[in-house]
Amino acid sequence: MIDELLKLITIIGDDMKLNKILIIVLLGVGFALLSCGEKSSPESRTIKFWNFWSEPYQKLALDTLIKEFEQKNDCKVELTQLSWNDGKTKLFAAFNSNTAPDVLELGSDWVAQFSDAGVLASLPPDSMNIDNFIEFSKQPSYWKGKLFAIPWIVDTRVLFYNKDLLRMSGMPAIPPITLDEVQFLAERINSPQEGVFGWGANGSDPHRLYKKIMYFFWTMGNPIFNDQNRLDLNSEGNVKALNKYVELSRYGIIDSQRQLDALFTRGRIALLISGGWLLEKIKNENPDMDFGTALVPGVNDLNGIRQGISFAGGEYLAISKQAKNKELAKEFIRYMTKGENAIRFCKKVIEAGFPADKNNYNDPYYKSQPNRETFAKQLEYARMTPVLPEWLEIEAIIEQAAEAALLGQESSDVALKKAHTAIRKLMMKK
């Protein structure tokens, strides 16, 4: 535009006195048009956000927050919903084809893999309010000393118990507090011939089975990496933990989490570890069911009862290196992860869990709902998986070992020794 105006001025001639007013007008119009063109460019105020909230009520809750952000920031946020089945594959395909979104949602066990792949933009900790978040949620945010993702929401698993089935067995309708008590009750209640099961155990259930196994490791055994960060999967404690998981399965049913949740909702399982989504399922499908929630059972040791440690997961927001407007993307992440906004989303989407913002994760709202308060308390006794780019491969190896023990193909000791060796070889390749 400016080049064309300069050519026109040259054509007008050298008599600057005669054409001074015309030149000023032309330049003024040119700069005005150029300025308007910059402001009206839709790309400069548009960001793409890929996420995993695809159910209609989830999208509605998300849209409410998005529209407010758009109005406050005079921008547009384009949403794309992914599924957990193939979402990771689609994300990596987008990065490889230079069509990645500006902002993406990642599960806590994915962040290290994406950070290590070099596709995420590093973030300045001081301006991203990282100190506002629950301590255990911060670890996945970092990779090699740099911040790559911000905690958004966190959640955990608790014990669900059927009060009617406990009473029918002649026991009081109170939850067990140790795994030995779980086994006692499960054996007493279990009656497969009548379609009633004492305990619900995950079997071949990719990306879910390991979450139950890690609870048994953390509660009865050891972290799979010790304090020196050395692999310790086949420790004596972990062998005992896997043995306990196998023993409990004999007094119940082995199935996928989806099927276990369905059976519990129909009043067929007495004791089950599950997530917040089951509260919504019960409310919709069996609202009169008499059930309760409790912290996951622990174990007896020399100092008394040691509380069980449950699996904690979380959702994180990150920015692609390919993002065209990183400042707007940062503002969007700050807005979404702010506790007062995250809790609005969590109130409408029960399975979302809790804000990672420590100022809001234990909001008074949860105290008005006893079952949700159980989850808030469990977060104090919860742990995330190791931050490793190879974690998804490691979890698959752990699940294979657990399946072999469950099916009686191998002893827990042999299964974990083989898994230990496989993980060590995997880590040495990287």
Side-chain angles (χ1 to χ4, degrees), residues 98-117:
N98 293 318
T99 58
D102 300 279
V103 178
L104 56 154
E105 175 187 355
L106 296 172
S108 54
D109 51 358
W110 289 10
V111 178
Q113 185 177 14
F114 280 79
S115 301
D116 186 59

Side-chain angles (χ1 to χ4, degrees), residues 296-425:
V296 295
V299 292
N300 284 305
D301 62 18
L302 296 177
N303 298 316
I305 295 175
R306 188 172 73 247
Q307 177 58 52
I309 306 297
S310 189
F311 170 87
E315 303 304 314
Y316 290 69
L317 300 183
I319 298 175
S320 164
K321 263 190 176 179
Q322 301 172 14
K324 295 180 180 179
N325 193 333
K326 290 185 174 62
E327 290 307 313
L328 182 59
K330 291 176 188 175
E331 187 61 35
F332 176 68
I333 288 180
R334 282 191 287 266
Y335 170 83
M336 292 297 292
T337 58
K338 190 174 182 180
E340 62 190 54
N341 294 326
I343 197 170
R344 290 165 58 200
F345 181 71
C346 292
K347 286 179 180 179
K348 294 180 180 179
V349 183
I350 297 298
E351 64 272 29
F354 301 80
D357 188 327
K358 62 188 176 186
N359 297 312
N360 293 83
Y361 97 94
N362 205 4
D363 189 272
Y365 160 75
Y366 297 112
K367 296 186 182 300
S368 66
Q369 302 183 55
N371 289 320
R372 292 303 292 157
E373 188 178 15
T374 303
F375 283 81
K377 290 179 179 178
Q378 186 67 69
L379 282 171
E380 299 175 16
Y381 304 96
R383 187 178 295 173
M384 286 186 166
T385 52
V387 180
L388 296 166
E390 307 91 352
W391 176 254
L392 294 178
E393 297 166 272
I394 292 173
E395 77 176 45
I397 294 172
I398 293 172
E399 289 181 341
Q400 289 168 8
E403 288 177 40
L406 274 175
L407 297 174
Q409 297 170 343
E410 295 173 341
S411 67
S412 296
D413 185 21
V414 171
L416 288 182
K417 280 182 179 178
K418 288 184 177 180
H420 181 98
T421 300
I423 294 173
R424 187 172 58 185
K425 288 181 178 178

Side-chain angles (χ1 to χ4, degrees), residues 250 264 414:
R250 297 172 185 160
F264 185 87
V414 171

Side-chain angles (χ1 to χ4, degrees), residues 130-135 138 339 355-362:
I130 191 65
D131 289 336
N132 289 353
F133 302 99
I134 306 171
E135 197 61 35
K138 296 179 187 179
D357 188 327
K358 62 188 176 186
N359 297 312
N360 293 83
Y361 97 94
N362 205 4

